[in-house]
Amino acid sequence: MSATVGVAVFPGTNCELDSIHAVESLGGNGKILWHSSKNLAEVDAVIIPGGFAHGDYLRPGAIARFSPLMSAISDFANNGGPVLGICNGFQVLTESGLLPGALQKNKGLKFLCKTVEVCVVTENSTLTRNAVKGAKLSLPINHFEGNFTCSNETLDTLLEQDRVVLRYCDNPNGSMNDIAGICNETRNVVGIMPHPERACDSLLGSEDGKILFDSLLGSN
Amino acid sequence: MRRFQESLLGTGLALGVSLLFSVFVDVSLRKGIADPAGSTIERSLPTLGFSNVRDVSVGKTIRFVIEAENEKEAHEKVETICSTFLTNPVIEEAGITIENLEQAEGN
Amino acid sequence: MRRFQESLLGTGLALGVSLLFSVFVDVSLRKGIADPAGSTIERSLPTLGFSNVRDVSVGKTIRFVIEAENEKEAHEKVETICSTFLTNPVIEEAGITIENLEQAEGN
Amino acid sequence: MDDSLHRALGLTDEEAKKIGDILGRKPNPLELAMYSVMWSEHCSYKSSRLHLSRLPTSAPWVLVGPGENAGVIDVGDGIAVAIRIESHNHPSAIEPYQGAATGVGGILRDIFTMGARPIALMDSLRFGSLTDARSCWIAEGVVSGISGYGNAVGVPTVGGEIDFDPTFQGNPLVNVLCLGTLPRDRLVLGQASGIGNLAVLLGAATGRDGIGGVSVLASAGFSDQGDIEKRPSVQVGDPFEEKRLIEACLEIFDSNLVVGIQDLGGAGLTCATSETASRGGVGMDVDLSAVPQRELGMEAHEIMISESQERMLAIIEPSNLERLFEICNKWEVNANVIGRVTKGNKLRILDHFEGNVLAEIPASSLHDDAPIYDRPKKKPESKKSVLNENIKVSDDPTSDLLSLLSDPSWVYNQYDHQLFLNTVVGPGCEASVLKLRDPVNGFETNNGLAISTDGNHRWCAVDPRVGTKLVVAEGLMNLACVGAYPLALVNCLNFGNPENPEVMWQLSESIDGMAEACEAFGIPVVGGNVSLYNESSGVNISPTPVIGMVGKIDGLYRRPPGFELSEGNRLVLLGPNDVGLGGSLLSALHGFETEELIDVNFQTHQDLADLVRSLVSDGTIDGIHDLSAGGLGVALAEMVAKSKCGVSVARIPDVLTFFGEGPSRVLVSVHPESVNDLLSRAEGANIPTTRLGLVGGDRFTVKGLIDVPKETVDSAFVTHLPNALGAGTVSS
Ligand SMILES: Nc1ncnc2c1ncn2[C@@H]1O[C@H](COP(=O)(O)OP(=O)(O)O)[C@@H](O)[C@H]1O
Ligand SMILES: [Mg+2]
C-alpha cells in the first residue's frame, strides 16, 4: 500500500506541486493540506515544502506557525508522525519550536540557488533511514535565510544526540557546524535546507534526492 | 482601516473610552549571535571610503498603534505580541517604547 | 577590527585624541510609500489573537561606533554614510542619534 | 483653468487642441491628466508605432500577435505559450531594487492576464562600467530586486544576460521577459463586453504611487513645491500580494468566471478601464469611492493615474460575483466592484455610482486617437575608422583574454531557476531549456521549450540594421545549440531620445534589420516594448534592441550538450572564418572605432543552425558554444572554465582571428570517433569546418598566442564579477 503524504500549503508557499511530483514519482500519493484546515485527515507523513509562506515578512515562518494547520501538524509530530520541513518548511519548524535553533540570513547576504554537496551524517532519522552514513548527495539549495544558528548548549545537545542529519561539504551560507539539516529528539521531525524534490530526475541533473523521499515514504 | 475604526467605535460605546498608544519596537540580535548583515556593512564601508566605523549591527523596527484601557494594559499586550510573534527569542530581543497618543497630541 | 584599532592608535598618536561616538540609525519608509511587510503583519495580527492594532510599519536600524574629532564631524560623517549607503533617500528616511561614548561611560 | 496646464502635464499645444476637438469642449483637469498619461510616449508609442508596423507578425501557430498584453503561440499538445518582454530602465536608475522588482511584477501580470501560468522569467541587464561605484550600486540593487521579487513570487528566473559598458552609465537597462503556459482553449482577452457587467478591481489598495508629472494637479498647487517633491515617484513591489493574485486569477479563469481581464500597469486605472471598454466596443462607469485607498484624501486624478502595483481589473457577469468573492477570499485578495459596463462608448468617472460625473471621455480616444509621429531621421556622419592593417591589434592576447572573461553565475545564483521542476538547462548556457508540461495537470509532453535573450549594443552602435540582424541570428543559433527550432520572437527596443533625428534613424534601421531577419528565418514577432529617452546628461545610450526568442524541442529525452569539454575530445569550428573587429569586445577594450560589421548570410546561417540542431538532437557532439561577443577566444575560454580539463589549439593565425567577431560560427567538442561523421555532415550542408585541436591537459594553449595554466583562465572567469560587486547591497 502506498503512503499518502500531506503537503502543507500556506499563502506564498511555492514548492507544493514539486514535492507532490517527487512523492508520486516514487509511488506515494501527495495530498494538499490547506493552512486553515484543522486536521490532517488520513496522511502517513507530512511535508512542509519550500516557498515564501506569508511572503516571509517579519521572519520566514513567523506567521505560518500560528496557522490551524500547524497545530494539527504539531499534534501529528508529537504522536510520532513523520514530518519533513524543506527550506521554508525547516524555517517554519524552528519558528514553531518543533525543531531547535533559527535560520538567519546567509553569511554572504545573498540569496543562493545552486547545487551543493551534502553528507549524510546519521542514518537514524525518518529522512535518512535508507541512506548510507557518509554518503555524499548532490542537492540544490535555494534560500536567503539558511544560516543555521543556535546556542552552544543546543549545538552540544544536537551533536551528543546525533541529531545532525545532513552537513554541507563546503558550507555555502555560514551555518553553524556546517549544518544543512537536523531532526528532533524522537527523530521523526526533520528540517533540511536543500531541496531533494529538485533532485529526483536525471533529465534535471541529479537523482540523489530519491533516497531521502524513499526513506520518508517507507517510514511509517 | 475602515474595519478598525468601526471596531474602535464599538468598543468605545460598550466599554468606556479606551486609549490609543503609539508603540515602537526595536528588535536586535542577542549578544553573541552572528550578525551577517552587520558584518557585510562593516566590510563594505572602507571600500566606499568610510573608515573608522566598527561594531556595526543591524536590527529592525516595528511601529504601530494599539488600543488599550490604560498604559499598563498596553504594555502587557505589546510584550505578549513581542515575545510570541515580533521576535524570535532564540536569536532576538526587543526594546519597547510606548507613548500615549492623546497625551502626545496634547503637547 | 584589528585594522581599525591600529588606525585609531595611529590617529591618536599623530593628530591628537579623537573621540568615539555610538550611532543609532533608524530607517523607515517615507510617508506614502507602500509597506508590504507592515501591512502583512497588520493583516495577520487578528488571526493570531491580537486585535486593535493598526498602522503597522516596519523599518530597520543600524548601530555602530564611529571615530571623529568632535560631535559635529561625527554627525556629518554619519549623514553622508546614511544618504549614500545605508538608505536610498528616494524611498527611505533616516533618524540619527549620536552619543559621545566617553561621556556616556562617564555617567 | 490655467492655459498652460496641458504643458505642465507634458502635452503639446497641438495635442491639447486635438483633445478639445475630440470632446467638443475644453477638457477639465482630470480629463487632461488622463489624456496626458495615455498619450505619453510610454503608453501610446507615438514615436515608434509607425515603424513597428513593418515587423512580420503572423504565422500559422500565432494565436495572438502584438497589441494584446502578451503574444500567444500554439506549441502543440493543446498547449499555448504566452510571452512578453518589458523594460523598467528608468525606475531602476533611481531605486534599483524596487525598480527591478516592480519590473518583474509588471511582466508577470502581462502573462497571467492572458490566462497563462507564468513559468519562467529571463532578465537582460546593462549597466555602466564596473569601475563606476554608482553603476555597481545599481547593478547589485537590480539583481537583488529581481531575486527578491522573482523568487518570492514563485516564478523561476531561468536565464538572461548581463553586460557593462560606459554607455549605460546613469541609464541602466533592465529588461525582463516572462513566459507562461495555458490550455490552448482558455485564452483570456483584455476586453469588456455585456452591458451591465461589472468591473472588479482585484489586489492591492491604491496609493499615490507613480503619480509623477501629474502631481502638478495636486490641489496644494504649485506653491507647495516641497510637498510635491515628496510625492513618491518610486513604487514598492509586494511579491506576496502578487503570488496570491496569480493563484486567485488562475482559479477564477479555471472556473470560467471572467468575460475579460486586464492588468493595471502604466497609467493605472485610466488605461485598464479605457482599454477594456474600447477593445470591447462598450462604455464604462467607474465609481471612485469604491476604489480601496491606501492613503487618506486621495484626489480623483491621483486614483485614476496611480501606478500602484499588484492590481487587476476583471470584467464579470453579475451572477458570477459571489463565486469570484469566494475565490478571492480564499487567497486573501481584495475584490471590489468599481465599474459597470455601459452602452455607448463613453468612459465616465464618477465620485459615486449615480453621483457626479468627474470626467466623460470617449474610451477609445485615449488609445486610437493618440498622436502618431513620423519624427525626422538622420543618418549620423560616418566615424573615421581608426583601425587599419598597420595598427597592432593587441600586444598581449593573454591579458586581453583574461580581462574579457566574466562568469554571470554571481548573478544567476541569486535567482531561483529550478522551481516547477522544468529546468533541464538553466542559466549559464546558450539557451535555457524547459520541459513542456500540460499546464492543467502537469503531465509531461516529452517535448521542450527553449528561450534565449540576446542583445549587443556594440554591434548596433556600429550599424543598427546589421547589428540587429546579427542579434536575431544569434538568438536562432542559441536555440539551435540546445536542439530547438524557433517559434516566435519578442523584442525590447532600448533607444535614446527620439526627438534626436540620429536616434530616430537608429530605431528605424534597427526595426528594418529585425524585420529582414525575421522574414528570412520565418520567425514571427509576437510582441515587444519600446523604451525611449534612455539618456543621461544629454548623452543617448548606444542603440540596444534586445530580443527574446522562444523555440521548441520535439522529443526532449536527453540533456543537450553544454559548455563542458571531455578529455580526449576534438575541437572543431563550424562555419566561415570571416571575422572583423567592428563592434567587438576587443575594440571596446582598446577603444578602437571601426566601421566594419560583417553581415549575416541568412542561407548559410540557416544551414548551420539546421546542422547544429541535428548534431545536438542525435547526440553526435558533447560540447557546444556559439561564437558571439569576444569571438573564438572568449568562447573557448568559457568552455575551459566550465570544464575539468584544458585545451591545446592550433590553426589560429593571429589575434584578429582569435578575438574577431562574425556571424554563423559554432565551436563544438566531439569524441574522436565522431569526427569523420561530423565533418562529412558539415560538408553535405555546405558548412566550412576548421579542426582546431584537442581537449585535455591542464593548460590553455593556443599555439603562437597564449599558453597559461587552466587555473588562470578559471580564476579570471569566476572572480571578475564578485570582485567588482562584492561590496553588498544593504537595502533589501
Ligand atoms: N542577468 C542574468 N540572469 C540570468 N542568467 C544570466 C544572466 N546573465 C547571464 N546569464 C546566463 O549566462 C549565460 C551566458 O550569458 P551570455 O554570455 O550573455 O551568453 P551568450 O553570449 O552565449 O548569449 C546566459 O545564457 C544565461 O543563461
Ligand atoms: Mg549566445
Side-chain angles (χ1 to χ4, degrees), chain D residues 429-430 452 454 474 478 625-626 628:
Chain D
C429 289
E430 301 291 356
S452 162
D454 292 280
E474 175 169 351
N478 282 338
H625 198 337
D626 82 315
S628 169

Side-chain angles (χ1 to χ4, degrees), chain D residues 123 125 159-162 408 411-412 415 427-430 454 474 478 626:
Chain D
D123 62 330
L125 311 176
E161 299 182 278
I162 187 163
V411 176
Y412 62 69
Y415 302 156
C429 289
E430 301 291 356
D454 292 280
E474 175 169 351
N478 282 338
D626 82 315

Side-chain angles (χ1 to χ4, degrees), chain D residues 67-112:
Chain D
E68 276 278 346
N69 292 297
V72 182
I73 55 170
D74 187 343
V75 294
D77 297 301
I79 305 169
V81 159
I83 185 168
R84 175 158 164 99
I85 189 168
E86 205 163 51
S87 65
H88 234 215
N89 305 341
H90 295 125
S92 305
I94 322 170
E95 212 314 297
Y97 185 98
Q98 295 297 344
T102 51
V104 173
I107 194 71
L108 288 169
R109 288 191 291 283
D110 282 328
I111 296 302
F112 69 86

Side-chain angles (χ1 to χ4, degrees), chain D residues 506-529:
Chain D
Q506 292 171 336
L507 179 63
S508 167
E509 285 290 294
S510 176
I511 288 171
D512 284 334
M514 190 182 312
E516 213 182 301
C518 288
E519 299 276 7
F521 296 133
I523 308 173
V525 178
V526 298
N529 171 244

Side-chain angles (χ1 to χ4, degrees), chain B residues 1-2 40-41 43-44 47-48, chain D residues 133 289 294 296 726-728 730:
Chain B
M1 191 105 72
R2 189 148 346 136
T40 302
I41 294 179
R43 248 196 342 267
S44 323
T47 64
L48 299 167
Chain D
S289 72
R294 204 175 69 222
L296 294 175
V730 180

Side-chain angles (χ1 to χ4, degrees), chain D residues 53-338:
Chain D
S53 62
R54 298 199 293 271
L55 293 169
T57 58
S58 55
W61 54 89
V62 174
L63 302 176
V64 177
E68 276 278 346
N69 292 297
V72 182
I73 55 170
D74 187 343
V75 294
D77 297 301
I79 305 169
V81 159
I83 185 168
R84 175 158 164 99
I85 189 168
E86 205 163 51
S87 65
H88 234 215
N89 305 341
H90 295 125
S92 305
I94 322 170
E95 212 314 297
Y97 185 98
Q98 295 297 344
T102 51
V104 173
I107 194 71
L108 288 169
R109 288 191 291 283
D110 282 328
I111 296 302
F112 69 86
T113 295
M114 305 301 294
R117 173 175 285 281
I119 61 164
L121 290 161
M122 306 269 282
D123 62 330
S124 178
L125 311 176
R126 302 288 185 284
F127 305 104
S129 132
L130 278 172
T131 51
D132 172 48
R134 185 168 170 93
S135 294
C136 291
W137 174 75
I138 293 176
E140 285 201 62
V142 163
V143 171
S144 313
I146 292 168
S147 160
Y149 200 100
N151 299 348
V153 80
V155 179
T157 303
V158 300
E161 299 182 278
I162 187 163
D163 204 347
F164 301 87
D165 191 300
T167 188
F168 304 109
Q169 184 143 347
N171 195 115
L173 302 185
V174 178
N175 293 181
V176 192
L177 175 150
C178 184
L179 178 148
T181 51
L182 67 152
R184 213 204 101 116
D185 49 22
R186 198 192 66 192
L187 251 179
V188 189
L189 295 181
Q191 57 175 242
S193 61
I195 311 306
N197 281 347
L198 306 175
V200 187
L201 184 61
L202 309 177
T206 300
R208 291 187 177 95
D209 303 309
I211 308 276
V214 181
S215 58
V216 297
L217 289 182
S219 51
F222 293 94
S223 57
D224 198 356
Q225 276 298 339
D227 186 53
I228 289 167
E229 264 170 32
K230 277 196 217 111
R231 288 275 150 81
S233 53
V234 175
Q235 302 134 51
V236 168
D238 182 356
F240 178 48
E241 177 83 46
E242 180 112 327
K243 167 72 176 168
R244 295 179 347 260
L245 197 54
I246 293 176
E247 299 304 335
C249 286
L250 290 175
E251 195 170 329
I252 289 167
F253 300 147
D254 280 338
S255 318
N256 240 319
L257 298 183
V258 299
V259 174
I261 195 161
Q262 172 75 38
D263 64 304
L264 275 75
L269 267 176
T270 302
C271 182
T273 52
S274 62
E275 209 157 282
T276 46
S278 84
R279 281 202 191 115
V282 293
M284 192 178 291
D285 278 0
V286 178
D287 171 6
L288 286 185
S289 72
V291 177
Q293 293 155 41
R294 204 175 69 222
E295 295 179 68
L296 294 175
M298 285 183 66
E299 295 183 36
H301 71 270
E302 294 176 316
I303 299 170
M304 284 309 294
I305 270 124
S306 161
E307 296 189 350
S308 287
Q309 299 291 299
E310 290 95 21
R311 298 179 299 162
M312 301 284 280
L313 188 72
I315 312 295
I316 65 157
E317 289 173 15
S319 59
N320 286 329
L321 191 61
E322 269 316 294
R323 213 26 222 119
L324 180 131
F325 281 156
E326 266 168 45
I327 293 172
C328 288
N329 224 1
K330 168 181 168 195
W331 290 104
E332 300 172 26
V333 165
N334 273 325
N336 291 277
V337 176
I338 64 141

